Amino acid sequence: MQTLRSLESAFLARGARAIISTLWEITDLQGVVFSAVLHAHLGSGMAPNAAYADTIRYLRAHRWRVPSQQGPVISAESAISSVLPDWRGYLDQQVAGNPLFWAAFKITGAV
């Protein structure tokens, strides 16, 4: 009998190729920005590992501070702005309190 050790293991055992999760609690805004940018990359046809890496680079380099001019991230930023127009300022405040906020995210599985 096999024992599953984590939620990620359960998804992988049921056939998921890759799982993205967090190592610690994150804010709602962090989750929304990460998910929107990640899914914009995935929707453009990127492989999960490349989409994850580009999303981490987006967060690590604070690319949200200047609106994107090209690529799939434009749609993600536009969608976030339509719901929360001041999201860039709020994210700056959260980063000031936790400069390594991007490090909370991890990818597990065949990437």
Side-chain angles (χ1 to χ4, degrees), residues 11-106:
F11 280 103
L12 292 169
R14 296 302 297 166
R17 291 188 338 221
I19 311 299
I20 295 177
S21 59
T22 61
L23 296 166
W24 53 80
E25 188 174 326
I26 61 170
T27 68
D28 292 342
L29 182 57
Q30 285 174 276
V32 166
V33 172
F34 181 88
S35 295
V37 172
L38 175 75
H39 284 90
H41 287 308
L42 291 171
S44 74
M46 278 186 153
N49 61 327
Y52 171 83
D54 278 4
T55 302
I56 292 298
R57 279 191 287 275
Y58 176 88
L59 296 174
R60 187 183 299 163
H62 302 184
R63 291 184 189 154
W64 69 84
R65 290 181 173 157
V66 177
S68 295
Q69 300 298 314
Q70 61 184 359
V73 176
I74 293 172
S75 61
E77 291 177 343
S78 177
I80 299 167
S81 292
S82 71
V83 177
L84 186 62
D86 297 331
W87 68 274
R88 287 178 170 87
Y90 293 130
L91 198 55
D92 277 336
Q93 290 171 4
Q94 291 178 12
V95 170
N98 181 10
L100 298 179
F101 75 105
W102 55 267
F105 301 95
K106 70 175 187 167

Coordinates of all heavy atoms in Angstrom, one line a residue, residues 11-106:
F11 N -2.2 14.8 -6.2 CA -2.5 15.2 -7.5 C -1.7 14.5 -8.5 O -2.1 14.1 -9.6 CB -2.4 16.7 -7.7 CG -3.5 17.5 -7.1 CD1 -3.5 18.1 -5.9 CD2 -4.7 17.6 -7.9 CE1 -4.5 18.8 -5.4 CE2 -5.8 18.3 -7.4 CZ -5.7 18.9 -6.1
L12 N -0.4 14.3 -8.2 CA 0.5 13.6 -9.1 C 0.1 12.2 -9.3 O 0.2 11.6 -10.4 CB 2.0 13.8 -8.7 CG 2.6 15.2 -8.7 CD1 3.9 15.2 -8.0 CD2 2.7 15.7 -10.1
A13 N -0.3 11.6 -8.2 CA -0.7 10.2 -8.2 C -2.0 10.0 -9.1 O -2.2 8.9 -9.7 CB -1.0 9.6 -6.8
R14 N -2.8 11.0 -9.2 CA -4.0 11.0 -10.0 C -3.8 11.4 -11.4 O -4.8 11.6 -12.2 CB -5.1 11.8 -9.3 CG -5.6 11.2 -8.0 CD -6.1 9.8 -8.0 NE -7.3 9.7 -8.8 CZ -7.8 8.6 -9.2 NH1 -7.2 7.4 -8.9 NH2 -8.9 8.6 -10.0
G15 N -2.5 11.7 -11.8 CA -2.3 12.0 -13.2 C -1.9 13.4 -13.6 O -1.6 13.7 -14.7
A16 N -1.9 14.4 -12.6 CA -1.4 15.7 -12.9 C 0.0 15.7 -13.3 O 0.8 15.0 -12.7 CB -1.6 16.6 -11.7
R17 N 0.4 16.5 -14.3 CA 1.8 16.5 -14.8 C 2.6 17.4 -13.9 O 3.8 17.2 -13.7 CB 1.9 17.0 -16.2 CG 1.3 15.9 -17.2 CD 1.6 16.3 -18.6 NE 1.8 17.7 -18.8 CZ 1.4 18.5 -19.8 NH1 0.6 17.9 -20.7 NH2 1.6 19.7 -19.9
A18 N 2.0 18.5 -13.4 CA 2.8 19.5 -12.6 C 1.8 20.2 -11.7 O 0.6 20.4 -12.0 CB 3.5 20.5 -13.5
I19 N 2.3 20.5 -10.5 CA 1.5 21.2 -9.5 C 2.3 22.5 -9.1 O 3.5 22.4 -8.8 CB 1.4 20.3 -8.2 CG1 0.9 18.9 -8.5 CG2 0.5 21.0 -7.2 CD1 -0.4 18.8 -9.2
I20 N 1.6 23.6 -9.0 CA 2.1 24.8 -8.5 C 1.5 25.1 -7.2 O 0.2 25.1 -7.1 CB 2.0 26.0 -9.5 CG1 2.8 25.7 -10.7 CG2 2.4 27.3 -8.8 CD1 2.7 26.7 -11.8
S21 N 2.3 25.3 -6.1 CA 1.7 25.6 -4.8 C 2.6 26.6 -4.1 O 3.5 27.1 -4.7 CB 1.7 24.3 -4.0 OG 3.0 23.7 -3.9
T22 N 2.3 26.9 -2.8 CA 3.1 27.8 -2.1 C 3.7 27.1 -0.9 O 3.2 26.2 -0.4 CB 2.2 29.0 -1.6 OG1 1.2 28.6 -0.7 CG2 1.7 29.8 -2.8
L23 N 4.8 27.7 -0.5 CA 5.5 27.1 0.7 C 5.0 27.7 2.0 O 5.2 27.1 3.1 CB 7.0 27.4 0.6 CG 7.7 26.7 -0.6 CD1 9.1 27.3 -0.8 CD2 7.8 25.2 -0.4
W24 N 4.4 28.9 1.9 CA 3.8 29.5 3.1 C 2.6 30.3 2.7 O 2.3 30.5 1.5 CB 4.8 30.4 3.9 CG 5.6 31.4 3.0 CD1 5.1 32.6 2.6 CD2 6.9 31.2 2.5 NE1 6.0 33.2 1.9 CE2 7.1 32.4 1.7 CE3 7.8 30.3 2.5 CZ2 8.3 32.7 1.1 CZ3 9.0 30.5 1.8 CH2 9.3 31.7 1.1
E25 N 1.9 30.9 3.6 CA 0.7 31.7 3.3 C 1.1 32.9 2.5 O 2.1 33.6 2.8 CB 0.1 32.1 4.7 CG -1.3 32.7 4.5 CD -1.9 33.0 5.9 OE1 -1.7 32.2 6.8 OE2 -2.6 34.0 5.9
I26 N 0.2 33.2 1.6 CA 0.4 34.4 0.7 C -0.8 35.3 0.8 O -1.9 34.8 1.3 CB 0.7 34.1 -0.7 CG1 -0.4 33.3 -1.4 CG2 2.0 33.3 -0.9 CD1 -0.4 33.1 -2.8
T27 N -0.7 36.5 0.3 CA -1.9 37.4 0.3 C -2.8 37.1 -0.9 O -2.3 36.5 -1.9 CB -1.5 38.9 0.3 OG1 -0.9 39.1 -1.0 CG2 -0.6 39.2 1.4
D28 N -4.0 37.5 -0.8 CA -4.9 37.3 -2.0 C -4.3 38.0 -3.2 O -4.4 37.4 -4.3 CB -6.3 37.9 -1.7 CG -7.0 37.1 -0.6 OD1 -6.6 35.9 -0.4 OD2 -8.0 37.6 -0.1
L29 N -3.8 39.2 -3.1 CA -3.2 39.9 -4.2 C -2.0 39.2 -4.8 O -1.9 39.1 -6.1 CB -2.8 41.3 -3.8 CG -2.3 42.2 -5.0 CD1 -3.3 42.3 -6.1 CD2 -1.9 43.6 -4.5
Q30 N -1.2 38.6 -4.0 CA -0.1 37.8 -4.5 C -0.6 36.7 -5.4 O -0.1 36.4 -6.4 CB 0.8 37.3 -3.4 CG 1.7 38.3 -2.7 CD 2.4 37.6 -1.5 OE1 1.8 37.6 -0.5 NE2 3.6 37.2 -1.7
G31 N -1.6 36.0 -4.8 CA -2.1 34.8 -5.5 C -2.8 35.2 -6.9 O -2.6 34.6 -7.9
V32 N -3.5 36.3 -6.9 CA -4.2 36.8 -8.1 C -3.1 37.2 -9.1 O -3.2 36.8 -10.3 CB -5.1 38.0 -7.8 CG1 -5.5 38.7 -9.1 CG2 -6.3 37.5 -7.0
V33 N -2.1 38.0 -8.7 CA -1.1 38.4 -9.7 C -0.4 37.2 -10.3 O -0.2 37.1 -11.5 CB -0.2 39.5 -9.1 CG1 1.0 39.8 -10.0 CG2 -0.9 40.7 -8.8
F34 N 0.1 36.3 -9.4 CA 0.8 35.1 -9.8 C 0.0 34.3 -10.8 O 0.4 34.0 -11.9 CB 1.3 34.3 -8.6 CG 2.1 33.1 -9.0 CD1 3.4 33.1 -9.2 CD2 1.4 31.9 -9.3 CE1 4.2 32.0 -9.6 CE2 2.2 30.8 -9.7 CZ 3.5 30.8 -9.9
S35 N -1.3 34.1 -10.4 CA -2.1 33.2 -11.2 C -2.5 33.9 -12.6 O -2.4 33.2 -13.6 CB -3.4 32.9 -10.5 OG -3.2 32.1 -9.3
A36 N -2.7 35.2 -12.6 CA -3.1 35.8 -13.8 C -1.9 35.8 -14.8 O -2.1 35.5 -16.0 CB -3.5 37.3 -13.5
V37 N -0.7 36.1 -14.3 CA 0.5 36.2 -15.1 C 0.8 34.7 -15.6 O 1.1 34.5 -16.8 CB 1.7 36.8 -14.4 CG1 2.9 36.7 -15.3 CG2 1.4 38.3 -14.2
L38 N 0.8 33.8 -14.7 CA 1.0 32.4 -15.1 C 0.1 31.9 -16.2 O 0.5 31.3 -17.2 CB 0.9 31.5 -13.8 CG 1.1 30.0 -14.1 CD1 2.6 29.7 -14.4 CD2 0.6 29.2 -13.0
H39 N -1.2 32.1 -16.0 CA -2.2 31.6 -16.9 C -2.1 32.4 -18.2 O -2.5 31.8 -19.3 CB -3.6 31.7 -16.3 CG -3.8 30.5 -15.4 ND1 -3.5 30.6 -14.0 CD2 -4.2 29.2 -15.5 CE1 -3.7 29.5 -13.4 NE2 -4.1 28.6 -14.3
A40 N -1.7 33.7 -18.2 CA -1.5 34.4 -19.5 C -0.4 33.7 -20.3 O -0.5 33.5 -21.5 CB -1.2 35.8 -19.2
H41 N 0.7 33.3 -19.6 CA 1.8 32.6 -20.3 C 1.3 31.3 -20.8 O 1.6 30.9 -21.9 CB 3.0 32.4 -19.3 CG 3.8 33.7 -19.1 ND1 4.2 34.5 -20.1 CD2 4.2 34.3 -17.9 CE1 4.9 35.5 -19.6 NE2 4.8 35.4 -18.3
L42 N 0.6 30.5 -19.9 CA 0.1 29.2 -20.4 C -0.8 29.3 -21.5 O -0.8 28.5 -22.5 CB -0.6 28.5 -19.2 CG 0.3 28.0 -18.0 CD1 -0.5 27.5 -16.9 CD2 1.3 26.9 -18.5
G43 N -1.7 30.3 -21.5 CA -2.6 30.5 -22.6 C -1.9 30.9 -23.9 O -2.5 30.7 -25.0
S44 N -0.7 31.4 -23.8 CA 0.0 31.8 -25.1 C 0.7 30.6 -25.6 O 1.4 30.7 -26.6 CB 1.0 32.9 -24.8 OG 2.1 32.5 -24.0
G45 N 0.6 29.4 -24.9 CA 1.2 28.2 -25.4 C 2.5 27.8 -24.8 O 3.2 26.8 -25.2
M46 N 3.0 28.5 -23.7 CA 4.2 28.2 -23.0 C 4.0 26.9 -22.3 O 3.0 26.6 -21.8 CB 4.6 29.2 -22.0 CG 5.3 30.4 -22.6 SD 5.8 31.5 -21.2 CE 7.2 32.3 -21.9
A47 N 5.1 26.1 -22.2 CA 5.2 24.9 -21.3 C 5.1 25.4 -19.9 O 5.5 26.5 -19.5 CB 6.4 24.2 -21.6
P48 N 4.5 24.5 -19.0 CA 4.3 24.9 -17.6 C 5.6 25.4 -16.9 O 5.6 26.4 -16.2 CB 3.8 23.6 -16.9 CG 3.1 22.9 -18.0 CD 3.9 23.2 -19.3
N49 N 6.8 24.7 -17.2 CA 8.0 25.1 -16.5 C 8.5 26.5 -17.0 O 8.9 27.3 -16.2 CB 9.1 24.1 -16.7 CG 9.5 23.8 -18.1 OD1 8.6 23.9 -19.0 ND2 10.7 23.5 -18.4
A50 N 8.3 26.8 -18.3 CA 8.7 28.1 -18.8 C 7.7 29.2 -18.3 O 8.2 30.3 -18.0 CB 8.7 28.0 -20.3
A51 N 6.4 28.9 -18.3 CA 5.5 29.8 -17.8 C 5.7 30.1 -16.3 O 5.7 31.3 -15.9 CB 4.0 29.3 -17.9
Y52 N 6.0 29.1 -15.5 CA 6.4 29.3 -14.1 C 7.6 30.2 -14.0 O 7.6 31.2 -13.2 CB 6.6 28.0 -13.4 CG 7.1 28.1 -12.0 CD1 6.3 28.3 -10.9 CD2 8.5 28.0 -11.8 CE1 6.8 28.4 -9.7 CE2 9.0 28.1 -10.5 CZ 8.2 28.3 -9.5 OH 8.7 28.5 -8.2
A53 N 8.7 29.9 -14.7 CA 9.9 30.6 -14.6 C 9.7 32.1 -15.0 O 10.2 33.0 -14.4 CB 11.0 30.0 -15.5
D54 N 9.0 32.3 -16.1 CA 8.7 33.7 -16.5 C 7.9 34.5 -15.5 O 8.1 35.7 -15.3 CB 8.0 33.7 -17.9 CG 9.0 33.6 -19.0 OD1 10.2 33.4 -18.8 OD2 8.5 33.7 -20.2
T55 N 6.9 33.8 -14.9 CA 6.1 34.4 -13.8 C 7.0 34.8 -12.6 O 6.8 35.9 -12.1 CB 4.9 33.5 -13.4 OG1 4.2 33.2 -14.6 CG2 4.1 34.2 -12.4
I56 N 7.8 33.9 -12.2 CA 8.7 34.2 -11.1 C 9.6 35.4 -11.4 O 9.9 36.3 -10.6 CB 9.6 33.0 -10.7 CG1 8.7 31.9 -10.1 CG2 10.7 33.3 -9.7 CD1 8.0 32.3 -8.8
R57 N 10.2 35.4 -12.7 CA 11.0 36.6 -13.1 C 10.2 37.9 -13.1 O 10.7 38.9 -12.7 CB 11.6 36.3 -14.5 CG 12.8 35.4 -14.5 CD 13.5 35.4 -15.8 NE 12.8 34.7 -16.8 CZ 12.9 33.3 -17.0 NH1 13.7 32.6 -16.2 NH2 12.2 32.7 -17.9
Y58 N 8.9 37.8 -13.5 CA 8.1 39.0 -13.5 C 7.9 39.5 -12.1 O 8.1 40.7 -11.8 CB 6.7 38.6 -14.0 CG 5.6 39.6 -14.0 CD1 5.5 40.5 -15.0 CD2 4.8 39.7 -12.9 CE1 4.5 41.5 -15.0 CE2 3.8 40.7 -12.8 CZ 3.7 41.6 -13.9 OH 2.7 42.6 -13.8
L59 N 7.7 38.6 -11.1 CA 7.6 39.1 -9.7 C 8.9 39.5 -9.1 O 9.0 40.5 -8.4 CB 7.0 37.9 -8.9 CG 5.6 37.5 -9.2 CD1 5.2 36.3 -8.4 CD2 4.6 38.7 -9.0
R60 N 10.0 38.7 -9.3 CA 11.3 39.0 -8.8 C 11.8 40.4 -9.3 O 12.4 41.1 -8.5 CB 12.3 37.9 -9.1 CG 13.6 38.1 -8.4 CD 14.6 37.0 -8.8 NE 14.1 35.7 -8.4 CZ 14.6 34.5 -8.9 NH1 15.5 34.6 -9.8 NH2 14.1 33.4 -8.5
A61 N 11.6 40.7 -10.5 CA 12.1 41.9 -11.1 C 11.2 43.1 -11.0 O 11.4 44.2 -11.5 CB 12.4 41.7 -12.6
H62 N 10.0 42.9 -10.3 CA 9.1 43.9 -10.0 C 8.6 44.5 -11.3 O 8.3 45.7 -11.4 CB 9.6 45.0 -9.1 CG 10.1 44.5 -7.8 ND1 10.6 45.3 -6.8 CD2 10.2 43.2 -7.3 CE1 10.9 44.6 -5.8 NE2 10.7 43.3 -6.0
R63 N 8.3 43.7 -12.3 CA 7.9 44.1 -13.6 C 6.5 44.8 -13.6 O 6.1 45.4 -14.6 CB 8.0 43.0 -14.7 CG 9.4 42.6 -15.0 CD 9.4 41.6 -16.1 NE 10.8 41.0 -16.2 CZ 11.0 39.8 -16.6 NH1 10.0 39.0 -17.0 NH2 12.3 39.4 -16.7
W64 N 5.7 44.5 -12.6 CA 4.4 45.1 -12.5 C 4.4 46.6 -12.4 O 3.4 47.3 -12.7 CB 3.6 44.5 -11.4 CG 4.1 45.0 -10.0 CD1 3.8 46.1 -9.4 CD2 5.0 44.3 -9.2 NE1 4.5 46.2 -8.2 CE2 5.3 45.1 -8.0 CE3 5.7 43.1 -9.3 CZ2 6.1 44.7 -7.0 CZ3 6.6 42.7 -8.3 CH2 6.8 43.5 -7.2
R65 N 5.6 47.1 -12.0 CA 5.7 48.6 -11.7 C 5.5 49.4 -13.0 O 5.1 50.6 -13.0 CB 7.0 48.9 -11.1 CG 7.0 48.4 -9.6 CD 8.3 48.8 -8.9 NE 8.2 48.4 -7.5 CZ 9.2 48.2 -6.8 NH1 10.5 48.2 -7.2 NH2 9.0 47.8 -5.5
V66 N 5.9 48.8 -14.2 CA 5.7 49.5 -15.5 C 4.8 48.6 -16.3 O 5.1 47.4 -16.5 CB 7.1 49.6 -16.2 CG1 6.9 50.2 -17.6 CG2 8.0 50.4 -15.3
P67 N 3.6 49.1 -16.7 CA 2.7 48.3 -17.5 C 3.4 47.6 -18.7 O 4.2 48.3 -19.4 CB 1.6 49.3 -17.9 CG 1.7 50.3 -16.9 CD 3.1 50.5 -16.5
S68 N 3.1 46.4 -18.9 CA 3.6 45.7 -20.1 C 3.1 46.3 -21.4 O 2.0 46.7 -21.5 CB 3.2 44.2 -20.0 OG 3.8 43.6 -18.9
Q69 N 4.0 46.3 -22.4 CA 3.7 46.9 -23.7 C 3.5 45.8 -24.7 O 3.0 46.1 -25.8 CB 4.8 47.8 -24.1 CG 5.1 49.0 -23.1 CD 3.9 49.9 -23.0 OE1 3.3 50.3 -24.0 NE2 3.5 50.2 -21.8
Q70 N 3.9 44.6 -24.4 CA 3.7 43.5 -25.4 C 3.6 42.2 -24.7 O 4.0 42.1 -23.5 CB 4.8 43.5 -26.4 CG 6.2 43.3 -25.8 CD 7.3 43.4 -26.9 OE1 7.0 43.6 -28.0 NE2 8.5 43.3 -26.4
G71 N 3.2 41.2 -25.4 CA 3.2 39.8 -24.9 C 1.9 39.5 -24.1 O 1.0 40.3 -24.0
P72 N 1.9 38.3 -23.6 CA 0.6 37.8 -22.9 C 0.3 38.5 -21.6 O -0.8 38.5 -21.2 CB 0.9 36.3 -22.8 CG 2.4 36.2 -22.7 CD 2.9 37.3 -23.7
V73 N 1.3 39.1 -21.0 CA 1.1 39.7 -19.7 C 0.2 40.9 -19.7 O -0.4 41.3 -18.7 CB 2.5 40.0 -19.0 CG1 2.3 40.7 -17.7 CG2 3.3 38.7 -18.8
I74 N 0.1 41.6 -20.9 CA -0.8 42.7 -21.0 C -2.2 42.4 -20.6 O -2.8 43.1 -19.9 CB -0.8 43.2 -22.5 CG1 0.6 43.8 -22.8 CG2 -1.8 44.3 -22.7 CD1 0.8 44.2 -24.3
S75 N -2.7 41.2 -21.1 CA -4.1 40.8 -20.8 C -4.2 40.6 -19.3 O -5.3 40.9 -18.7 CB -4.5 39.6 -21.6 OG -3.7 38.5 -21.3
A76 N -3.2 40.0 -18.7 CA -3.3 39.7 -17.2 C -3.3 41.0 -16.4 O -4.2 41.1 -15.5 CB -2.1 38.8 -16.8
E77 N -2.4 41.9 -16.8 CA -2.4 43.2 -16.0 C -3.7 44.0 -16.2 O -4.2 44.6 -15.3 CB -1.2 44.0 -16.5 CG 0.1 43.4 -16.1 CD 1.3 44.2 -16.6 OE1 1.1 45.0 -17.5 OE2 2.4 44.0 -16.0
S78 N -4.2 43.9 -17.5 CA -5.5 44.6 -17.8 C -6.7 44.0 -16.9 O -7.5 44.8 -16.4 CB -5.8 44.5 -19.2 OG -7.0 45.1 -19.5
A79 N -6.7 42.7 -16.8 CA -7.8 42.0 -16.1 C -7.7 42.4 -14.6 O -8.7 42.7 -14.0 CB -7.7 40.5 -16.2
I80 N -6.5 42.4 -14.0 CA -6.3 42.8 -12.6 C -6.7 44.3 -12.4 O -7.4 44.6 -11.5 CB -4.8 42.6 -12.2 CG1 -4.5 41.1 -12.3 CG2 -4.7 43.0 -10.7 CD1 -3.0 40.8 -12.1
S81 N -6.3 45.1 -13.4 CA -6.6 46.6 -13.2 C -8.1 46.8 -13.3 O -8.6 47.8 -12.7 CB -5.9 47.3 -14.4 OG -4.5 47.3 -14.1
S82 N -8.8 46.0 -14.1 CA -10.3 46.2 -14.2 C -11.0 45.9 -12.9 O -12.0 46.5 -12.6 CB -10.8 45.4 -15.3 OG -10.8 44.0 -15.0
V83 N -10.4 45.1 -12.0 CA -11.0 44.7 -10.8 C -10.4 45.6 -9.6 O -11.1 46.0 -8.7 CB -10.8 43.2 -10.5 CG1 -11.3 42.9 -9.1 CG2 -11.4 42.4 -11.5
L84 N -9.1 45.8 -9.7 CA -8.4 46.6 -8.6 C -7.4 47.6 -9.3 O -6.3 47.2 -9.5 CB -7.7 45.6 -7.7 CG -7.0 46.2 -6.5 CD1 -8.1 46.8 -5.5 CD2 -6.2 45.1 -5.7
P85 N -7.9 48.8 -9.6 CA -7.1 49.7 -10.3 C -5.8 50.1 -9.7 O -4.8 50.3 -10.4 CB -8.0 51.0 -10.4 CG -9.4 50.5 -10.3 CD -9.3 49.3 -9.4
D86 N -5.7 50.0 -8.4 CA -4.5 50.4 -7.7 C -3.6 49.2 -7.2 O -2.8 49.3 -6.3 CB -4.8 51.3 -6.4 CG -5.5 52.6 -6.8 OD1 -5.2 53.1 -7.9 OD2 -6.3 53.0 -6.0
W87 N -3.8 48.1 -7.9 CA -3.1 46.9 -7.5 C -1.6 47.0 -7.5 O -0.9 46.4 -6.6 CB -3.5 45.7 -8.4 CG -3.1 45.7 -9.8 CD1 -3.7 46.3 -10.8 CD2 -1.9 45.1 -10.3 NE1 -3.0 46.1 -12.0 CE2 -1.9 45.4 -11.7 CE3 -0.9 44.4 -9.8 CZ2 -0.9 44.9 -12.6 CZ3 0.1 43.9 -10.6 CH2 0.1 44.2 -12.0
R88 N -1.0 47.8 -8.4 CA 0.5 47.9 -8.4 C 1.0 48.6 -7.1 O 2.0 48.1 -6.6 CB 0.9 48.8 -9.6 CG 0.7 48.0 -10.9 CD 1.1 48.9 -12.1 NE 1.2 48.1 -13.3 CZ 0.2 47.9 -14.2 NH1 -1.0 48.4 -13.9 NH2 0.4 47.1 -15.2
G89 N 0.3 49.6 -6.6 CA 0.7 50.2 -5.4 C 0.5 49.3 -4.2 O 1.4 49.2 -3.3
Y90 N -0.6 48.5 -4.2 CA -0.8 47.6 -3.1 C 0.3 46.5 -3.1 O 0.8 46.1 -2.0 CB -2.2 46.9 -3.2 CG -3.3 47.9 -3.0 CD1 -4.4 47.9 -3.8 CD2 -3.3 48.7 -1.8 CE1 -5.4 48.8 -3.6 CE2 -4.4 49.6 -1.6 CZ -5.4 49.6 -2.5 OH -6.5 50.5 -2.3
L91 N 0.7 46.0 -4.3 CA 1.7 45.0 -4.4 C 3.0 45.6 -3.9 O 3.8 44.9 -3.2 CB 1.8 44.5 -5.8 CG 2.5 43.1 -6.0 CD1 1.9 42.0 -5.1 CD2 2.5 42.7 -7.4
D92 N 3.3 46.8 -4.3 CA 4.6 47.5 -3.8 C 4.6 47.5 -2.2 O 5.6 47.2 -1.6 CB 4.7 48.9 -4.3 CG 5.3 49.0 -5.7 OD1 6.0 48.0 -6.1 OD2 5.0 50.0 -6.4
Q93 N 3.5 47.8 -1.6 CA 3.4 47.8 -0.1 C 3.7 46.4 0.4 O 4.4 46.3 1.4 CB 2.0 48.3 0.3 CG 1.8 49.7 0.1 CD 0.3 50.1 0.3 OE1 -0.5 49.3 0.8 NE2 0.0 51.4 0.1
Q94 N 3.1 45.4 -0.2 CA 3.3 44.0 0.3 C 4.8 43.6 0.1 O 5.3 42.9 1.0 CB 2.4 43.0 -0.4 CG 0.9 43.3 0.0 CD 0.0 42.3 -0.8 OE1 0.4 41.4 -1.4 NE2 -1.3 42.6 -0.7
V95 N 5.4 44.0 -1.0 CA 6.8 43.7 -1.2 C 7.7 44.4 -0.2 O 8.7 43.8 0.2 CB 7.2 44.0 -2.7 CG1 8.7 43.9 -2.9 CG2 6.5 43.2 -3.6
A96 N 7.3 45.6 0.2 CA 8.1 46.3 1.2 C 8.2 45.5 2.5 O 9.2 45.5 3.2 CB 7.6 47.7 1.4
G97 N 7.1 44.8 2.8 CA 7.0 44.0 4.0 C 7.6 42.6 3.9 O 8.0 42.0 4.9
N98 N 7.8 42.2 2.6 CA 8.3 40.8 2.4 C 9.0 40.8 1.0 O 8.5 40.4 0.1 CB 7.2 39.8 2.4 CG 7.7 38.4 2.2 OD1 8.9 38.1 2.2 ND2 6.8 37.5 2.0
P99 N 10.3 41.3 1.0 CA 11.0 41.4 -0.3 C 11.1 40.1 -1.1 O 11.3 40.1 -2.3 CB 12.3 42.0 0.1 CG 12.4 42.2 1.5 CD 11.1 41.7 2.1
L100 N 11.0 39.0 -0.4 CA 11.2 37.7 -1.1 C 9.8 37.0 -1.3 O 9.7 35.8 -1.3 CB 12.1 36.7 -0.3 CG 13.5 37.2 -0.1 CD1 14.3 36.2 0.7 CD2 14.2 37.4 -1.5
F101 N 8.8 37.8 -1.5 CA 7.4 37.3 -1.6 C 7.3 36.3 -2.8 O 6.5 35.4 -2.7 CB 6.4 38.4 -1.8 CG 6.4 39.1 -3.1 CD1 5.4 38.8 -4.0 CD2 7.4 39.9 -3.5 CE1 5.4 39.4 -5.3 CE2 7.5 40.5 -4.7 CZ 6.4 40.3 -5.6
W102 N 8.1 36.5 -3.8 CA 8.0 35.6 -5.0 C 8.5 34.2 -4.7 O 8.2 33.3 -5.4 CB 8.9 36.2 -6.1 CG 10.3 36.5 -5.7 CD1 10.8 37.7 -5.2 CD2 11.4 35.6 -5.7 NE1 12.1 37.6 -4.9 CE2 12.5 36.3 -5.2 CE3 11.5 34.2 -6.0 CZ2 13.7 35.7 -5.0 CZ3 12.7 33.6 -5.8 CH2 13.8 34.4 -5.3
A103 N 9.3 34.1 -3.6 CA 9.9 32.8 -3.3 C 8.9 31.8 -2.6 O 9.2 30.6 -2.4 CB 11.1 33.0 -2.3
A104 N 7.7 32.3 -2.4 CA 6.7 31.4 -1.8 C 6.2 30.3 -2.7 O 5.7 29.3 -2.3 CB 5.5 32.2 -1.3
F105 N 6.3 30.6 -4.0 CA 5.8 29.7 -5.0 C 6.7 28.6 -5.4 O 7.9 28.8 -5.6 CB 5.4 30.5 -6.3 CG 4.4 31.6 -6.0 CD1 4.8 32.8 -5.7 CD2 3.0 31.3 -5.9 CE1 3.9 33.8 -5.4 CE2 2.1 32.3 -5.6 CZ 2.5 33.5 -5.4
K106 N 6.2 27.4 -5.7 CA 7.0 26.3 -6.1 C 6.3 25.4 -7.1 O 5.0 25.4 -7.2 CB 7.5 25.4 -5.0 CG 6.4 24.5 -4.3 CD 6.9 23.6 -3.3 CE 5.8 22.7 -2.8 NZ 6.3 21.6 -2.0

